[in-house]
Amino acid sequence: MRRHHGTTPRTARVLGSLLLIAAAGGLTLGAAPAARAAAPVPLDRIVPAPVSVTPGGTPYRVTRATGIHVDGPAEVHRIGTYLAGLLRPATGYPLPVTDHGDGGILLRLTQGDYGAEGYRLHSGADGVTLTARTPAGLFHAVQTLRQLLPAAVERTTVQRGPWQIAAGTLQDRPRYAYRGAMLDVARHFFTVPQVKRYIDQLALYKINELHLHLSDDQGWRIAVDSWPRLASYGGAGEVGGGRGGHYTKADYREIVRYAASRYLEVVPEIDMPGHTNAALASYAKLNCDGVAPPRYTGTQVGFSSLCVSKKATYDFADDVIRELAALTPGRYVHLGGDEAHSTAHADYVRFMDRVQPLVARYGKTVIGWHQLTGAHPAKGALAQYWGVDGTGAAEKAQVAAAARNGTHLILSPADRVYLDMKYTARTGPGTKWAGLVEVHRSYDWNPGTYLAGVPASAVRGVEAPLWSETVKTSAGIEYLAFPRLAGAAELGWSPAARHDWSAYRKRLAAQGPRWDALGIHYYRSPQVPWPAR
Ligand code: TNX
């Protein structure tokens, strides 16, 4: 992780305690008496908001004597080691991880009504206990514990404590099973370390799906052995004319492994039949006229199409989906299917009728952008809705009808959670085709009632896509994602009853010092009462 540089240890320490004061009490910087610094972060001051908290008792204090005890299989031990790794640099404490012992921090798996990802956190004078039915639940509990500690805990050098955790009990579980973020690695390529950095940021907000947009007009980003020029030629470019790049299969496996270690499932997308110029440029035979177009470095959409009438197209689709499925332990393959403006509608339907069964043949479930609902979505397919308030009634009705017929939805309304929309006319990167999307607008909607005529049970969750036409660095990603990503994560996790902008903006403000400590480059929206830096 990249952290702040250029701060001496002493100023870092002072800054750390000032940030703690700010996070704990929202007090004016510099004016607080030292004793106030000791107030721990209240149990409900986290993002996403937890289901319920019952405060009370004496806070637990992490000290040099604290141990991390694990009760469960090796995977629980691994989560304990991950927690120790998070806490050691800033506390400077040894925090041994052991399979026995009392007091300190205990991670345990039990049977019980926690759900697949829920957990309970209990904190008192003698220790903190994290309980869940699954390792994923424990991992989410660790993210909560992290947010209950002062923001300075995120720093890589030793900081002054105290390291207290508010007393009481917190019960938590997600509203939706699918809580996603998408990264477009096609318009600009992002390296494995850059993707890992984003994964760590997603994990902090309990996001559990990482959708990678692996191909588009401007680049093909995943090695395919049976069609090697897709990556070697089709991957060697990007928007603006940079060198681009692609993931080898080993790179991709490393991303999948790292994501799994943070309890995220990777959803690979190969966009078809449009958004395919990089593939068409790599192989002449994929073009109806047999002529490969040049590579493309602009940002127009809707001009490319696979040749729906050619056998080569389906050989290509079969090979790509087979190799991608073999790299994918996750359940899904995303086929794209958006903005196929250069494919006649009948051809689009024909293409999807032939290609969706390939996904099932290789053991996966189809996801498509919601245009798929205009064809014949495969049984069990998910449609990802990316409309806006102004999307036409007929299109919305088509999506709702599909949802009633069993095509469940992932909600990514572009004028709410497209992270590439500019916040205001004056903020730097981003586009604005779906409008300007400030933090309040991004947060203030209800996935359960968002689309008329969609049964609540047909909503699988929320995903925040980040298209990368205008960003090519981690700082660029972060500026667009933070703070809106946190809001999308809360919409996916927290109960509708906890949805409250005026409370959210205060909880969100408390994340600012944490992002500063982590070196996350974020947008300091005037809608959020950030503590002064
Ligand atoms: C629409 S959303 C697209 C992308 C662009 C994005 C820019 C979708 C399924 N297609 O091709 O990158 O807008 O915001």
Side-chain angles (χ1 to χ4, degrees):
M1 286 253 181
R2 186 170 55 84
R3 309 283 181 147
H4 272 331
H5 300 293
T7 325
T8 65
R10 204 191 106 72
T11 50
R13 268 204 311 279
V14 172
L15 189 62
S17 29
L18 290 174
L19 292 173
L20 166 56
I21 293 163
L27 299 169
T28 315
L29 274 180
R36 293 295 301 273
V41 178
L43 291 178
D44 58 2
R45 185 67 67 80
I46 63 170
V47 177
V51 170
S52 70
V53 302
T54 313
T58 307
Y60 178 65
R61 187 164 176 164
V62 180
T63 67
R64 181 163 299 283
T66 298
I68 296 177
H69 310 300
V70 295
D71 179 3
E75 197 173 347
V76 178
H77 200 282
R78 206 187 52 71
I79 296 169
T81 304
Y82 164 85
L83 173 61
L86 289 174
L87 306 186
R88 279 175 190 144
T91 61
Y93 301 152
L95 298 166
V97 182
T98 61
D99 290 329
H100 49 78
D102 285 329
I105 302 173
L106 172 65
L107 276 58
R108 61 188 192 111
L109 288 184
T110 59
Q111 295 305 313
D113 185 24
Y114 297 100
E117 294 185 278
Y119 66 92
R120 174 177 173 274
L121 179 150
H122 179 76
S123 168
D126 297 336
V128 177
T129 303
L130 311 181
T131 312
R133 189 165 62 73
T134 64
L138 279 182
F139 184 80
H140 297 320
V142 162
Q143 302 308 323
T144 293
L145 179 66
R146 200 175 159 185
Q147 288 194 24
L148 293 175
L149 285 163
V153 79
E154 307 293 350
R155 295 192 182 268
T156 47
T157 55
V158 177
Q159 308 290 311
R160 190 197 294 274
W163 305 105
Q164 296 199 97
I165 297 161
T169 302
L170 185 159
Q171 307 261 13
D172 209 4
R173 63 168 68 205
R175 179 181 184 187
Y176 293 112
Y178 191 109
R179 305 178 308 279
M182 187 208 81
L183 185 62
D184 172 9
V185 297
R187 271 50 177 275
H188 283 103
F189 180 64
F190 294 95
T191 63
V192 174
Q194 287 175 308
V195 175
K196 288 182 176 179
R197 180 176 167 88
Y198 199 46
I199 288 171
D200 279 328
Q201 294 166 357
L202 300 175
L204 179 52
Y205 296 99
K206 304 186 173 82
I207 285 178
N208 66 349
E209 305 282 350
L210 174 67
H211 169 187
L212 290 176
H213 185 74
L214 290 170
S215 69
D216 212 302
D217 292 318
Q218 299 86 347
W220 185 283
R221 306 302 181 201
I222 179 76
V224 177
D225 296 335
S226 48
W227 297 70
R229 265 176 69 82
L230 291 171
S232 66
Y233 182 79
E238 61 185 7
V239 166
R243 291 173 52 220
H246 69 270
Y247 306 121
T248 64
K249 288 193 169 179
D251 289 339
Y252 192 77
R253 285 197 188 92
E254 176 59 13
I255 290 172
V256 168
R257 184 202 65 76
Y258 194 81
S261 77
R262 270 70 176 145
Y263 295 89
L264 280 92
E265 177 179 49
V266 176
V267 179
E269 178 188 355
I270 297 295
D271 204 344
M272 300 184 243
H275 289 280
T276 43
N277 189 76
L280 297 168
S282 304
Y283 287 96
K285 65 180 165 188
L286 293 176
N287 297 269
C288 283
D289 62 4
V291 179
R295 284 185 296 217
Y296 182 69
T297 60
T299 59
Q300 297 301 309
V301 298
F303 61 87
S304 56
S305 179
L306 292 170
C307 186
V308 170
S309 59
K310 272 192 163 178
K311 177 175 180 298
T313 297
Y314 302 97
D315 293 342
F316 157 86
D318 190 301
D319 290 335
V320 167
I321 293 167
R322 184 184 68 253
E323 291 195 32
L324 198 58
L327 282 173
T328 301
R331 295 163 290 175
Y332 304 111
V333 168
H334 199 309
L335 291 177
D338 58 311
E339 296 175 322
H341 306 319
S342 301
T343 317
H345 181 68
D347 283 349
Y348 179 84
V349 174
R350 183 151 66 110
F351 177 84
M352 285 302 181
D353 282 349
R354 280 187 68 171
V355 172
Q356 290 181 91
L358 302 175
V359 174
R361 177 186 304 167
Y362 298 114
K364 303 299 174 188
T365 297
V366 170
I367 303 181
W369 296 105
H370 76 257
Q371 280 71 21
L372 181 63
T373 61
H376 309 118
K379 193 167 158 31
L382 302 182
Q384 184 168 6
Y385 181 75
W386 60 285
V388 297
D389 282 1
T391 293
E395 190 170 336
K396 286 178 174 162
Q398 173 190 295
V399 172
R404 290 193 299 273
N405 279 325
T407 300
H408 288 181
L409 304 180
I410 299 163
L411 297 180
S412 301
D415 53 354
R416 304 285 182 170
V417 293
Y418 263 33
L419 300 178
D420 57 313
M421 290 304 119
K422 283 175 177 280
Y423 296 95
T424 74
R426 287 148 179 266
T427 53
T431 63
K432 54 182 181 187
W433 67 261
L436 299 168
V437 184
E438 251 288 8
V439 178
H440 182 191
R441 177 171 176 80
S442 187
Y443 174 77
D444 233 356
W445 58 286
N446 180 353
T449 57
Y450 180 73
L451 274 178
V454 171
S457 61
V459 177
R460 290 290 182 89
V462 177
E463 180 178 299
L466 201 162
W467 302 96
S468 64
E469 287 93 336
T470 64
V471 288
K472 54 180 173 185
T473 61
S474 286
I477 290 174
E478 290 160 17
Y479 183 79
L480 290 172
F482 293 90
R484 289 178 295 198
L485 174 75
E490 175 150 320
L491 288 166
W493 180 281
S494 306
R498 296 293 315 266
H499 188 89
D500 174 0
W501 164 251
S502 65
Y504 174 67
R505 62 198 283 273
K506 297 187 192 114
R507 282 184 291 109
L508 186 59
Q511 301 298 306
R514 192 164 301 273
W515 297 339
D516 286 328
L518 286 165
I520 293 176
H521 178 66
Y522 64 101
Y523 165 56
R524 284 176 69 90
S525 166
Q527 298 182 333
V528 180
W530 309 108
R533 271 175 170 147

